[in-house]
Amino acid sequence: MTDEDDRQAPATAGPKSVRLVPLPPAAMTALLEGDLAGAGAEAGIALTPYFTTDVSARVWRLRIDQLAADPGGAPWSTHAVVAEPEGVAVGYAGFHGSPDETGTVEIGYSVDPACRRRGYAKATVRELLRHAGERSVRTVRASISPGNAASFATIAGFGFVEIGEQWDDEDGLEIVLEVPLKEIAHLDIEAPMTESSYAGGPEILRYAAFTADPAGGNPAGVVLDATGLDDAAMLAIAAELGYSESAFLTAPPADLGEPGRAFTARYFSPKAEVTFCGHATVATAVALAERIGPGELHFATLAGIVPVDVVADGDGALRATLTSVEPYVEEVGAADLAEALAALGWRTEELDAGLPPRIAYAGARHLVLVAATRERLADLDYDFDRLERYMTGRDLTTVQLVWRESADTFHVRDPFPVGGVVEDPATGAAAAAFGAYLRELGKADSTAVLTLHQGADMGRPGLLRVELRDGDPRIRVSGAAVRIPAEG
């Protein structure tokens, strides 16, 4: 259905709206010639360099041939996808051809890599369904490679059902899904998901963690009652929100914590489930405390039991402190380090020799690399695909990049390509792992409080407090959280 790998910085805005703008054959021909200005003039909309890539060129050649054979098929050809109200082209989409004799069409789309992980894919599918519905189509089909979790998440919620498999000479094995348009007549395909509902499902909240400013810290989706949601539905909600992670609560295991204050917590990035997420835990704990009062909570996660204590500051603001599972720290081999540095575009001599690379775990695994200068930390421009492969092969959740301002103050950044996100704005699990790392190296006292600044380089500053206690191997991470207002 799409060549999209859905990766980008975490979404911070509300649900997206798009429109489809026809691309006439003259525009496609200009694109094949690399003439963006000419193509834009033919289409009536400015196009981006993504429209002239080799991947896009294959689409233009196919559509030009189709339209030459069937000029009446123009409504079903490829269109530019234009974000509204911005009026910016964010990709292209259309149908594989005119409806067949049964009234079936197959959809396809591709979002410009510069615009991915912002909700445009879901908005594009919604617009394609609306376009088909206006033209008396009976059934809409999609074909997706089995491993393309992002595309499965994108179409979730629209009623698509698997009907079989097929082999594509270019893409290989594909899962074929269909939805009769009459089956989604009850869905408002004109409207994107709101904060309060998802296709008639549970309430979905949005909170920013490790900040008191909704525009700062790390945004997270929070579903306080995910009863009845299966894995696909949770992944679909996480993908639609576009945040680095979202948290989903269900009933706790037997005998865990105080009744009504203990839960099973699961965490999903836009691409997959993760074992533990610190910022979504803090966000969820504050959301709960706003409803049931401050105090101790317990979350059963895939990493283990995580206690969280929520207190109100003097001004009434809520602050959550999570206590990690027992951490560990591992050394990094020379070859592994060299590959990580190559993917990041860093050199060995740019590292702080006093804080050597390690893998640290406190619920999730993180590669810790400490830069010698703030300038090195600020300049983040890495090979997304290469780093994703590296991290996947070593079961890493993020790479924690650090600069030491003082013995107890640090600035951090966390690339997160395995979650489909370029960078995580504030990473509680990595902060806990970093506390364990410093203790293991003897760079922090047995009892210590550390301050981590994160997100400033992304324009979403956050503040994380990390506490080490003598005699307790676990790490405590504290921060505020605030609800993100719904966009009107």
Side-chain angles (χ1 to χ4, degrees), residues 365-442:
R365 287 165 55 86
H366 306 267
L367 172 63
V368 180
L369 298 175
V370 183
T373 66
R374 183 65 176 90
E375 291 73 21
R376 172 66 279 180
L377 182 68
D379 184 12
L380 181 62
D381 183 16
Y382 67 92
D383 185 327
F384 188 102
D385 292 329
R386 185 172 182 178
L387 189 60
E388 180 183 22
R389 290 193 298 271
Y390 172 88
M391 294 172 65
T392 299
R394 294 156 181 82
D395 191 29
L396 297 174
T397 297
T398 75
V399 175
Q400 181 155 70
L401 307 175
V402 183
W403 174 67
R404 175 171 52 178
E405 178 181 319
S406 68
D408 59 5
T409 302
F410 301 84
H411 297 255
V412 298
R413 303 185 72 174
D414 280 77
F416 186 32
V418 295
V421 174
V422 172
E423 182 178 0
D424 201 31
T427 317
F434 183 67
Y437 160 90
L438 288 178
R439 182 166 56 193
E440 178 74 12
L441 293 179

Side-chain angles (χ1 to χ4, degrees), residues 155-338:
I155 68 168
F158 290 113
F160 282 88
V161 174
E162 181 178 339
I163 64 164
E165 299 178 349
Q166 67 182 23
W167 183 265
D168 183 272
D169 288 340
E170 184 172 318
D171 298 327
L173 179 65
E174 294 179 328
I175 305 300
V176 181
L177 307 99
E178 289 185 351
V179 58
L181 283 185
K182 66 179 182 180
E183 295 292 331
I184 58 172
H186 66 288
L187 296 179
D188 182 6
I189 61 175
E190 299 282 350
M193 183 180 71
T194 65
E195 182 179 65
S196 61
S197 66
Y198 178 78
E203 182 180 25
I204 300 168
L205 306 173
R206 294 169 170 84
Y207 277 73
F210 299 114
T211 180
D213 179 0
N218 198 352
V222 176
V223 178
L224 297 179
D225 183 5
T227 305
L229 293 181
D230 60 14
D231 290 10
M234 294 185 208
L235 180 61
I237 291 172
E240 171 77 0
L241 290 170
Y243 299 147
S244 53
E245 282 104 355
S246 294
F248 301 83
L249 299 187
T250 56
D255 301 323
L256 175 64
E258 179 184 342
R261 302 190 68 89
F263 306 87
T264 295
R266 297 179 66 184
Y267 309 92
F268 285 81
S269 79
K271 291 183 69 174
E273 186 171 11
V274 297
T275 56
F276 177 68
C277 173
H279 88 273
T281 299
V282 167
T284 301
V286 168
L288 283 168
E290 289 177 345
R291 290 155 176 80
I292 63 176
E296 190 172 30
L297 302 164
H298 287 87
F299 295 131
T301 77
L302 291 178
I305 303 301
V306 176
V308 185
D309 189 40
V310 184
V311 299
D313 290 342
D315 58 1
L318 295 171
R319 176 175 295 273
T321 298
L322 67 87
T323 299
S324 77
V325 298
E326 188 163 342
Y328 63 78
V329 179
E330 297 177 351
E331 293 196 5
V332 181
D336 277 358
L337 175 60

Side-chain angles (χ1 to χ4, degrees), residues 14-237:
K16 301 300 182 181
S17 178
V18 301
R19 62 185 173 96
L20 301 179
V21 175
L23 291 174
M28 298 183 197
T29 299
L31 289 171
L32 288 174
E33 295 171 352
D35 182 5
L36 268 179
E42 292 288 347
I45 183 72
L47 302 176
T48 67
Y50 181 60
F51 284 73
T52 61
T53 61
D54 290 342
V55 170
S56 301
R58 292 197 295 269
V59 177
W60 312 141
R61 293 189 187 98
L62 175 62
R63 300 302 178 229
I64 288 171
D65 290 345
Q66 284 182 332
L67 290 172
D70 177 21
W76 308 104
S77 188
T78 301
H79 295 58
V81 177
V82 178
E84 292 294 347
E86 298 87 348
V88 176
V90 295
Y92 50 84
F95 304 85
H96 288 205
S98 300
D100 64 17
E101 64 278 3
T102 68
T104 298
V105 293
E106 182 169 349
I107 61 173
Y109 68 87
S110 187
V111 176
D112 187 324
C115 302
R116 292 176 183 169
R117 280 278 52 81
R118 301 182 187 181
Y120 289 121
K122 180 80 76 171
T124 298
V125 172
R126 185 180 296 110
E127 185 63 13
L128 289 170
L129 293 173
R130 187 197 62 77
H131 184 94
E134 289 179 346
R135 291 160 177 80
S136 301
V137 166
R138 293 182 178 180
T139 304
V140 174
R141 176 179 298 152
S143 55
I144 305 175
S145 298
N148 193 343
S151 287
F152 281 109
T154 295
I155 68 168
F158 290 113
F160 282 88
V161 174
E162 181 178 339
I163 64 164
E165 299 178 349
Q166 67 182 23
W167 183 265
D168 183 272
D169 288 340
E170 184 172 318
D171 298 327
L173 179 65
E174 294 179 328
I175 305 300
V176 181
L177 307 99
E178 289 185 351
V179 58
L181 283 185
K182 66 179 182 180
E183 295 292 331
I184 58 172
H186 66 288
L187 296 179
D188 182 6
I189 61 175
E190 299 282 350
M193 183 180 71
T194 65
E195 182 179 65
S196 61
S197 66
Y198 178 78
E203 182 180 25
I204 300 168
L205 306 173
R206 294 169 170 84
Y207 277 73
F210 299 114
T211 180
D213 179 0
N218 198 352
V222 176
V223 178
L224 297 179
D225 183 5
T227 305
L229 293 181
D230 60 14
D231 290 10
M234 294 185 208
L235 180 61
I237 291 172

